[in-house]
Amino acid sequence: MSNHNVIDENIASALEKLMQVQRLLLWDITKKEKLSPIQIQFLIYLGKYPPEYCKVSQMAREFDLTKATVSDALNSLEDKGYVKKIREADDKRSHVVSLTRKGIQTGKRIHGWQDVLVSHIQKFPMDRKEQFITVLMDLIQSLYREGVIHVARMCITCENFVPGENGTHHCILTDRYLKDSELSIGCAHHRNREAI
Ligand code: SF4
């Protein structure tokens, strides 16, 4: 018999239900674009992140996949004309992957794939959303610390982040003061903080 509280199990079940919603939304896009879910996610990722993150090894870490799985998906995207690979000058075995014109156009088309979910989140009052996002980020950080996931690109794990009270968190890189509601998940400028 598990010694977890009912609410802990219920929260995990609720997250699973939300993942099901995301799978359904992603599935709609994959049918329209005739690409697999991971290929769609790679196109979105490549459109968002700078070249140093757009290599097979880095993407394998980001998505918690094997390098072989990432390579296969990228090779298929290359064959279909969505991405191109450029060999790195200082390491001939490594490639940087970038979107072609077709990849960029597709990326723009699929950008709002989560809009249905976002429109429902929008209806909640700001104070509840701030509490919710704070708990979610703490949960992601906890899973990251335990090694369940290997990348957690959030303000609270970033070396540029100086925590404060709501409204006085500071991003040193951009010199912006941030409220809880403005903390970032998936920031392209994130730099991993040692010993989080
Ligand atoms: S660089 Fe990005 S992730 Fe890091 S503190 Fe600034 S906004 Fe947050």
Side-chain angles (χ1 to χ4, degrees), residues 129-196:
K129 286 189 282 197
E130 283 183 347
Q131 282 176 357
F132 188 44
I133 189 73
T134 305
V135 172
L136 288 177
M137 283 196 271
D138 287 345
L139 177 59
I140 294 168
Q141 180 170 233
S142 174
L143 292 164
Y144 173 70
R145 279 182 177 150
E146 290 285 316
V148 179
I149 52 172
H150 296 98
V151 178
R153 209 175 285 295
M154 308 182 293
C155 285
I156 61 172
T157 62
C158 179
E159 69 176 14
N160 296 314
F161 184 65
V162 181
E165 296 298 312
N166 187 18
T168 63
H169 306 299
H170 188 214
C171 170
I172 297 168
L173 183 79
T174 58
D175 196 21
R176 278 186 64 213
Y177 286 90
L178 305 164
K179 300 180 195 162
D180 285 347
S181 58
E182 295 168 325
L183 297 181
S184 170
I185 294 187
C187 173
H189 306 293
H190 177 272
R191 286 284 172 268
N192 224 19
R193 182 150 36 105
E194 297 299 323
I196 295 158

Side-chain angles (χ1 to χ4, degrees), residues 93-142:
R93 290 164 306 168
S94 176
H95 295 87
V96 173
V97 185
S98 62
L99 296 176
T100 60
R101 181 190 292 263
K102 179 179 176 182
I104 293 169
Q105 284 168 349
T106 308
K108 283 183 187 156
R109 228 173 19 246
I110 63 184
H111 179 73
W113 70 275
Q114 296 196 92
D115 281 356
V116 170
L117 182 57
V118 173
S119 69
H120 282 264
I121 296 170
Q122 228 166 10
K123 295 174 189 167
F124 288 85
M126 186 56 80
D127 58 335
R128 290 186 70 192
K129 286 189 282 197
E130 283 183 347
Q131 282 176 357
F132 188 44
I133 189 73
T134 305
V135 172
L136 288 177
M137 283 196 271
D138 287 345
L139 177 59
I140 294 168
Q141 180 170 233
S142 174

Side-chain angles (χ1 to χ4, degrees), residues 9 30 38 41 59 69 78 103 115 123 160 187:
E9 304 277 1
T30 63
I38 196 64
Q41 286 173 297
M59 289 175 71
T69 303
E78 188 179 28
D115 281 356
K123 295 174 189 167
N160 296 314
C187 173

Side-chain angles (χ1 to χ4, degrees), residues 64-94:
D64 284 296
L65 296 170
T66 65
K67 287 186 199 172
T69 303
V70 174
S71 274
D72 285 349
L74 289 175
N75 286 341
S76 172
L77 284 172
E78 188 179 28
D79 291 344
K80 292 174 185 165
Y82 292 94
V83 304
K84 59 186 177 216
K85 295 181 193 153
I86 298 159
R87 208 180 283 279
E88 287 204 279
D90 52 351
D91 181 358
K92 298 286 182 233
R93 290 164 306 168
S94 176

